Amino acid sequence: MVEISRIVGMRDGTEEKEEEEEESNINSNNNWFASWEDGLPKPEELMPLSQTLITPDLALAFDLPSPVPAAATPHPDPDLGGGGDEGAAARTLKRPRLVWTPQLHKRFVDAVAHLGIKNAVPKTIMQLMGVDGLTRENVASHLQKYRLYLKRMQQSSSSSAALAGGHISAADHQLFASGPVPHHFLSPRGVAGPDPPFVPLVPVNPLHHHHHHHQIGQQYYYQRQIGHFGSAASSGVGGGGAFDYRFLSPPPIGMQHMGMGMGMGFPPAASSYGEQLEPGERGGGRRELTLFPTGDD
DNA sequence: GGGAGAATAT
DNA sequence: TATATTCTCC
């Protein structure tokens, strides 16, 4: 079949110490990059956990308002209908929303940090991250937000704006503030600093691995949530409609979506599983690709 | 044309 | 809100 969305599974065989030094380390991070590789898999450790998330048929079905058989589908796209070019189909079908887990974000930050602000552009970052399935758009979007975050950080740290109301929102802490932010990102002088030498990440090989991720504790699982066929009956309003969720992989940890009500950051070192959110809360019918660690990171 | 970045959409 | 998509510009 066609492999549409796949994400890499990364082993953290080398569970180095470091990792969670964060804020307290921002000022004394002489080694923030010395240990940058720690969180990253060595080339030989890079282990693609590729999975076929959705078949063309399924995609078709889910994309339609009703469970109309593909055969009867008036879909104009030849790629979808004919099972032609796999690559084309893979590009055509929409990927699930990417969830930026702390681990994924860390990779992002590390990449940005080692590229240097000025060289940190989506494509480069993406390549450096070496995460299979990650697109330039994914990175670009995240980068945009990340820059906004850095901007606010600068403001609140270099002026009295912090008192004026430019405080860091809980949302910031949720992801961005949870990881180490290279200090030079925030200080005007270090911005154009020299690029620390580092070993470029080796991109994940595109091989198909139909792993049955049983090895909890050292890999990333991906999660896929698929909405139920557009049954007009079940779909409540944006509220809590009953959806027909199916998990093709073990359920996720409940560490995202803690917005609104109690905006507390996720556990700093969410080493292991927390509780799990009841699936189906939100995301009515949306697919979501989630990378989450199963081991302590 | 392709990519970056901002704006806008979902 | 978080992430995706679109749009403009280079």
Side-chain angles (χ1 to χ4, degrees), chain A residues 166-252:
Chain A
H167 61 71
I168 306 302
S169 70
D172 291 328
H173 287 83
Q174 178 168 324
L175 181 60
F176 297 129
S178 67
V181 175
H183 75 303
H184 65 269
F185 276 24
L186 306 179
S187 69
R189 54 192 175 87
V191 172
D195 301 3
F198 82 94
V199 182
L201 294 177
V202 176
V204 172
N205 54 15
L207 296 181
H208 304 183
H209 288 262
H210 286 280
H211 285 290
H212 289 275
H213 32 242
H214 284 124
Q215 312 172 38
I216 300 182
Q218 25 182 283
Q219 306 198 339
Y220 285 75
Y221 285 162
Y222 72 85
Q223 173 208 350
R224 170 188 167 215
Q225 300 179 333
I226 42 181
H228 174 266
F229 288 65
S231 56
S234 64
S235 63
V237 190
F243 290 98
D244 199 304
Y245 282 94
R246 285 193 280 172
F247 295 92
L248 301 189
S249 61

Side-chain angles (χ1 to χ4, degrees), chain A residues 5 22 29 71 84 118 127 131 135 174 187 198 218 244 256 269 271:
Chain A
S5 304
E22 343 180 329
N29 52 24
K118 51 184 199 308
Q127 293 171 157
V131 174
T135 68
Q174 178 168 324
S187 69
F198 82 94
Q218 25 182 283
D244 199 304
Q256 50 194 349
S271 52

Side-chain angles (χ1 to χ4, degrees), chain A residues 37-99:
Chain A
E37 297 173 73
D38 292 357
L40 306 173
K42 305 288 191 300
E44 62 273 18
E45 297 176 325
L46 226 37
M47 185 173 173
L49 210 189
S50 303
Q51 295 284 339
T52 296
L53 292 184
I54 183 172
T55 66
D57 290 341
L58 266 180
L60 253 186
F62 284 115
D63 285 342
L64 293 174
S66 60
V68 180
T73 296
H75 209 299
D77 194 327
D79 293 328
L80 296 180
D85 187 296
E86 298 181 359
R91 285 189 298 275
T92 299
L93 288 127
K94 43 182 184 293
R95 297 160 168 270
R97 270 173 77 100
L98 174 68
V99 174

Side-chain angles (χ1 to χ4, degrees), chain A residues 63-198:
Chain A
D63 285 342
L64 293 174
S66 60
V68 180
T73 296
H75 209 299
D77 194 327
D79 293 328
L80 296 180
D85 187 296
E86 298 181 359
R91 285 189 298 275
T92 299
L93 288 127
K94 43 182 184 293
R95 297 160 168 270
R97 270 173 77 100
L98 174 68
V99 174
W100 285 86
T101 61
Q103 291 69 35
L104 195 55
H105 175 65
K106 183 180 187 303
R107 277 214 137 203
F108 168 85
V109 173
D110 285 343
V112 172
H114 292 85
L115 279 170
I117 292 293
K118 51 184 199 308
N119 298 324
V121 293
K123 189 180 182 181
T124 311
I125 296 172
M126 176 191 69
Q127 293 171 157
L128 215 52
M129 289 178 71
V131 174
D132 191 19
L134 190 66
T135 68
R136 191 171 58 79
E137 288 77 14
N138 288 144
V139 176
S141 181
H142 196 62
L143 180 60
Q144 181 177 24
K145 204 182 122 187
Y146 186 58
R147 282 171 172 159
L148 256 50
Y149 165 73
L150 290 181
K151 186 185 300 178
R152 283 203 299 271
M153 286 289 279
Q154 290 180 328
Q155 292 175 350
S156 64
S157 66
S158 65
S159 75
S160 57
L163 299 176
H167 61 71
I168 306 302
S169 70
D172 291 328
H173 287 83
Q174 178 168 324
L175 181 60
F176 297 129
S178 67
V181 175
H183 75 303
H184 65 269
F185 276 24
L186 306 179
S187 69
R189 54 192 175 87
V191 172
D195 301 3
F198 82 94

